[in-house]
Each structure stands twice: as structure tokens, then as C-alpha cells.
Amino acid sequence: MIQNHNNADALQQVPFFADLNPEELSQLSARLVPRRFSSGQIIFHHGDPGGLLYIIRTGKIKITYSTLDGQEALLAILGANDFFGELALLDEAPRSATAEAIETTEALTLHREDFIRFLRNNPDFSLHVLQTLTQRIRNLNNQISDIFFLDLPARLARVLLNLANQHGVASEQGIRIELSLTQTDLAEMTGATRVSINKALGRFRREKWISVKGRKFTILDADAMQNLIQISGGALL
């Protein structure tokens, strides 16, 4: 009973499930199974069979896509209360990307059959699922739009601001991104080369828009970075 209560609390922290009433939370949380992943552990590969939804309680997960010629794109970095693998709950197609733990991660998993059964018994939640997936598609469209219509500095500014919004912690200097990020990570997230990222970061530091200590980034002037995006042709975040 205590474990089920803890799972319900964790479930309610996830925006996807936040509007469920206590009875619905109890029904769904009873089906959750805890999992633990060590840093560097692959959770699933692109092309693997699907079937589970993952809800992150603690830790960080990166979602990547690799092309046939071996190039890798970093699609997202997810943290506490984020979820992934939801497409596998709605169809039985193989995984569309690879998920890897980038630090020790505790998660809860929900099997597809349990999720589909819950949808059938709670039709109002089905509409919420559609709305959430629609937002995911809009976000993907924005990413594609950025690649075509924003220059590299603006794309990098967008990525850093999005990471600050997801994983930022307020500090005396500004908003510190609580992730260990390499220039290669940023290159993969912006569709650029490491050399061009290094050049753009140099500009950002000179302008005092960001500070960098090792692999930690702090946003010092979010307004200036947002202005850069607008000038380049991007919409407001």
C-alpha cells in the first residue's frame, strides 16, 4: 500500500497525469513497476520492440537517433517527472530512437496493455493523450523549422534556453543548467559541427550572455539570447 501511494505521488508530479483524480491515480499507479538504470546504460535501442512507458523519478536520460551512416542526433535530454516511450503505448511499432541513462536514474514503467485498458475505462483521458501528443508534434515541427530558418547562433541560443527552462536552477549569476554538457552534445542538438559550436559559444561568452565552467552552463542574459532568435527569424519561446 505504501509503495502504491508513493507511485501515485510520483505519477501526479508528471504533467501528463497531473489532472487525474485520486481514484484514477490509484488505479494506474498500481500497475507501475520501478526500474533503476546506471549511468551509461542503454534502456532501449532504435528499432527495439516497444511496449513500455517510462516515467523518470530521479536522474537524466538522453534520447538519440542514429543514421545508417553512423551519425547521431541528440533529440532531447530528460529529467525528473519527464516521460518517454509513449509512442509504443499507442502502436506496436519498434522504438523510433535510442534512450540512454546519462546518470543513475530511477524510473517507473507502465506496460502498454495496462495503459490501453486504462484509456478504454477513462475516455476523457484519451483526449488529454491526444492533446499531449499534438504538443509533442508541434515541438518537433519547431525543431525542424529552426534547422531551416535559424542560423547556428540562434539555434544554439534556442537549445540553451530550452535546456535552462527544463533543467535550470536560479543562481546569483543567472540560470544554471543542471546538466553536464559537452560541445559535441550541443553540436548534435543543433545540427552543427563541434568547431562551429565552439565559435558560437566564444561569442556568447564575450557578449556575457552565458558563463561556462567545465561542462556547466549558466544563462546570464536570456533576453539578449531571445532577441538573437527573433532577429534570426524565430518565434518567441
Side-chain angles (χ1 to χ4, degrees):
M1 181 64 72
I2 293 176
Q3 181 65 48
N4 187 37
H5 178 72
N6 290 339
N7 287 350
D9 288 343
L11 202 61
Q12 196 167 31
Q13 297 302 313
V14 181
F16 191 50
F17 300 106
D19 293 333
L20 294 180
N21 62 45
E23 182 180 352
E24 292 169 335
L25 281 170
S26 179
Q27 291 175 11
L28 201 55
S29 63
R31 302 295 182 180
L32 296 175
V33 178
R35 297 284 302 275
R36 182 181 177 88
F37 305 98
S38 57
S39 179
Q41 183 175 350
I42 300 296
I43 298 169
F44 54 74
H45 287 280
H46 176 216
D48 284 351
L52 290 176
L53 171 74
Y54 296 82
I55 301 167
I56 303 171
R57 298 199 67 178
T58 62
K60 296 284 191 308
I61 300 292
K62 72 174 182 178
I63 308 297
T64 60
Y65 178 85
S66 297
T67 62
L68 293 176
D69 60 1
Q71 296 188 25
E72 185 177 272
L74 180 54
L75 303 180
I77 297 177
L78 306 176
N81 300 328
D82 285 329
F83 62 94
F84 60 98
E86 70 277 8
L87 293 181
L89 299 185
L90 301 177
D91 62 20
E92 296 183 90
R95 296 292 188 186
S96 58
T98 296
E100 178 184 345
I102 55 178
E103 62 183 52
T104 300
T105 298
E106 293 184 357
L108 298 169
T109 61
L110 179 67
H111 197 277
R112 179 179 185 272
E113 292 180 0
D114 293 320
F115 185 73
I116 295 299
R117 186 181 303 112
F118 182 80
L119 284 182
R120 287 172 176 162
N121 294 332
N122 300 273
D124 289 343
F125 188 66
S126 300
L127 179 59
H128 175 61
V129 171
L130 291 175
Q131 291 171 336
T132 300
L133 293 178
T134 298
Q135 186 59 51
R136 292 261 172 136
I137 293 171
R138 290 186 189 278
N139 291 342
L140 179 60
N141 287 341
N142 287 338
Q143 286 182 287
I144 295 172
S145 176
D146 284 354
I147 292 173
F148 282 101
F149 298 113
L150 297 184
D151 59 19
L152 172 60
R155 295 203 306 274
L156 179 58
R158 175 90 82 184
V159 165
L160 289 172
L161 289 177
N162 284 343
L163 289 172
N165 183 55
Q166 287 181 280
H167 306 289
V169 174
S171 68
E172 291 183 1
Q173 284 187 303
I175 303 173
R176 185 177 64 252
I177 300 173
E178 287 296 293
L179 291 172
S180 179
L181 293 168
T182 67
Q183 292 186 13
T184 299
D185 291 334
L186 294 174
E188 291 174 354
M189 296 183 81
T190 55
T193 65
R194 185 182 177 280
V195 172
S196 58
I197 288 294
N198 183 56
K199 182 178 178 180
L201 288 175
R203 173 189 174 186
F204 288 10
R205 287 194 294 265
R206 288 192 302 272
E207 298 284 356
K208 300 189 185 307
W209 295 347
I210 66 170
S211 68
V212 183
K213 291 184 178 181
R215 295 183 176 184
K216 297 290 186 178
F217 291 74
T218 299
I219 306 298
L220 305 179
D221 194 340
D223 290 341
M225 295 171 70
Q226 183 61 64
N227 187 54
L228 176 69
I229 296 169
Q230 289 181 270
I231 292 173
S232 184
L236 284 172
L237 285 174

